[in-house]
């Protein structure tokens, strides 16, 4: 459900901000517990917004703002107009958090370690029954009618493994597209006997300008289309597929890690 007024007030106080996404689903999230180790892997809107505040990006200027400023330089100077001082796209590098049941308020930041062994995509694509599936939104904003951003999660459990995809997706009309994907995977078959449980996390960030450029045209962006990119990037899946089609172009960050329990 959408966060109550009391919850919004609490978030604003704890995050020290007056700016929150228009739709905030504070009760939504995922909490997976490894019984033997008492370790939890979680995804929540509040922790995502904490990372948004902790790692702020420079504010993005929409096309209308850019054009207005170019034609009003003297007015801006005379009136003392101040630019936005926060990232109004709510872009967060959050990739989930881990904690031990004995101390839920203390994330185990060093639990993940770098690895070269990635997600077993052959196992993930195997045809087998889906025991559980769900998808949910953590937050969403229409960015004052200048685009769209969403932070969403999909969870799938099969007899052989589980798979989580958390995606932050952004489109600022006529300006840029952004897609931050966090994938978490665990193959149940790797367990047995004294063998530890291994969870893999893959984090990938992609971004590209929607402004006119030869590169954008070659990649099917169509330059500054009249719809600002809405047709080709109306949802996160479209944008993610676009970045897959042009990889590694557009990729700004990639990290592969494992959690051994």
């Amino acid at each position: 459900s959408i966060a109550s007024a009391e919850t919004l007030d609490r978030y604003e106080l704890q995050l020290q901000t007056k700016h929150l996404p228009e739709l905030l689903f504070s009760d939504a999230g995922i909490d997976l517990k490894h019984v033997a180790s008492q370790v939890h892997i979680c995804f929540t809107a509040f922790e995502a917004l904490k990372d948004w505040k902790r790692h702020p990006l420079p504010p993005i200027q929409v096309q209308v703002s850019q054009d207005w400023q170019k034609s009003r330089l003297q007015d801006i100077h005379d009136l003392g107009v101040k630019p936005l001082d926060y990232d109004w796209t709510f872009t967060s590098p959050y990739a989930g958090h881990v904690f031990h049941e004995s101390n839920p308020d203390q994330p185990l930041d060093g639990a993940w370690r770098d690895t070269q062994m990635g997600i077993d995509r052959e196992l993930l694509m195997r045809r087998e029954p889906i025991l559980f599936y769900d998808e949910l939104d953590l937050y969403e904003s229409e960015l004052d009618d200048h685009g769209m951003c969403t932070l969403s999660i999909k969870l799938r459990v099969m007899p052989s493994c589980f798979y989580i995809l958390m995606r932050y997706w952004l489109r600022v009309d006529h300006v840029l597209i952004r897609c931050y994907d966090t994938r978490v995977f665990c193959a149940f078959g790797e367990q047995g006997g004294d063998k530890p449980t291994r969870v893999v996390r893959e984090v990938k960030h992609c971004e590209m300008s929607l402004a006119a450029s030869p590169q954008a045209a070659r990649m099917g962006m169509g330059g500054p289309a009249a719809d600002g990119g809405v047709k080709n990037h109306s949802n996160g899946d479209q944008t993610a597929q676009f970045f897959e089609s042009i990889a590694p172009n557009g990729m700004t960050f990639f990290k592969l890690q494992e959690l051994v329990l």
Side-chain angles (χ1 to χ4, degrees), residues 29 34 60 64 68 100 113 137 150 155 213 222 247 255:
H34 183 249
I60 296 171
V64 174
W68 183 85
H100 192 273
R113 64 189 187 192
D137 293 329
T150 61
L155 167 65
S213 70
K255 179 167 283 191

Side-chain angles (χ1 to χ4, degrees), residues 81 85 168 173 232 240:
V81 176
D85 59 356
Y168 169 83
D173 298 344
N232 292 329

